[in-house]
Amino acid sequence: MTSEQWSAAVRLLWGPPAKPARGPKRGLTLEGIALAGVGIADAEGLGGVSMQRVAAELAVTKMALYRYVPGKAELVALMVEAALPDPAGLDAGLAAAAGAGAGAASAGGGWREQLGVWARGLYEGFRAHPWLLEATVGARVMGPRELGWMERALAALDGCGLSGAEAMDSVVLVAGHVRGIAEQERAMAGGGGEAGGEGPDAQLVVMLGEVLRARGDDYPALAAALGSVAEQGGQEQALLYGLERILDGLGLLVERRGR
């Protein structure tokens, strides 16, 4: 983003409701514009989004759209804010975990339960809108909803004895794991819309199976591992397995800080 785009995105995401810069009122809203862009991106990916396409979707001219949103960079910022789930919805996930006897320490859950619900919620957001993986990288302006997600994760670690840097890095670590699994799933689905059919682990087993049937003696450890998966299951657990191991490690740090 240029400095002008940065300033414009801040105004759109954090300022009062925008009014058209000039010309007659067209009945557009920033929310409606953002949702039109989200619909296009969900169907065709972020590359399919343009000011012209969104204007056509809203049955207005591109110049009319420019009266509300200066350009695509600012449009994408609005789309991210509109597409992310409301972080307040995490409360329902925590309540469900507590009701299922998932070990929540209280109605709000302990830090581990809270981060687990947070990570799974973020993953579901990426699954619903895979283009968010592309749109949420690099230096950019984040809106209230996206900062709300960061706030929830950091608040979960409040009182654990971590420094601010350690808490931030812990959140980045969990988010990076979630992104990595979501990106793998998106790639297996062809890089387009929501992943469907078999998950990435199952697809990997299928792809490797034919090779290992002929060359399994050359890769005995890999053949044994895949054979165990075929007999005992356990595939499609990469998200939760990795998350649990990250939280195990974080738990050791929290324990050490509490001594």
Side-chain angles (χ1 to χ4, degrees):
M1 276 189 173
T2 65
S3 59
E4 291 81 6
Q5 290 171 330
W6 189 280
S7 297
V10 169
R11 288 194 302 271
L12 292 171
L13 289 169
W14 292 95
K19 296 180 180 180
R22 60 185 183 278
K25 181 179 179 181
R26 297 292 184 130
L28 297 180
T29 65
L30 291 181
E31 181 182 14
I33 292 169
L35 291 176
V38 168
I40 295 170
D42 284 349
E44 304 177 27
L46 197 58
V49 177
S50 68
M51 296 293 283
Q52 183 66 54
R53 286 291 310 281
V54 173
E57 187 73 18
L58 295 169
V60 299
T61 67
K62 185 165 68 171
M63 290 307 300
L65 192 59
Y66 278 125
R67 294 173 185 142
Y68 292 82
V69 182
K72 183 175 178 178
E74 297 86 351
L75 171 62
V76 171
L78 290 172
M79 290 166 52
V80 169
E81 184 71 4
L84 282 172
D86 186 344
L90 296 173
D91 294 337
L94 280 170
S106 66
W111 68 264
R112 184 171 183 132
E113 289 77 19
Q114 291 182 56
L115 282 184
V117 169
W118 183 88
R120 290 189 291 274
L122 184 62
Y123 172 72
E124 290 304 323
F126 285 142
R127 274 185 58 86
H129 307 286
W131 55 271
L132 282 172
L133 293 163
E134 182 181 350
T136 55
V137 295
R140 58 196 174 79
V141 178
M142 291 186 284
R145 182 170 289 186
E146 188 171 4
L147 284 187
W149 274 84
M150 186 177 295
E151 172 69 17
R152 286 299 185 106
L154 290 171
L157 294 170
D158 189 33
C160 289
L162 305 183
S163 69
E166 288 171 338
M168 290 285 289
D169 286 344
S170 297
V171 173
V172 169
L173 180 62
V174 173
H177 171 63
V178 173
R179 290 185 67 95
I181 298 300
E183 286 171 349
Q184 181 184 25
E185 192 169 274
R186 184 189 188 199
M188 288 291 190
E194 183 177 347
E198 291 184 326
D201 290 357
Q203 293 185 46
L204 180 62
V205 169
V206 171
M207 287 186 286
L208 291 176
E210 184 174 348
V211 174
L212 291 179
R213 277 194 291 273
R215 304 295 298 272
D217 291 343
D218 295 335
Y219 308 97
L222 179 57
L226 290 179
S228 175
V229 168
E231 291 178 5
Q232 302 176 20
Q235 61 194 43
E236 307 310 334
Q237 296 297 316
L239 175 71
L240 296 181
Y241 180 85
L243 176 61
E244 289 299 309
R245 302 296 73 76
I246 290 171
L247 296 180
D248 285 345
L250 185 54
L252 292 175
L253 178 60
V254 170
E255 181 181 359
R256 189 160 65 239
R257 289 289 186 271
R259 290 175 182 171

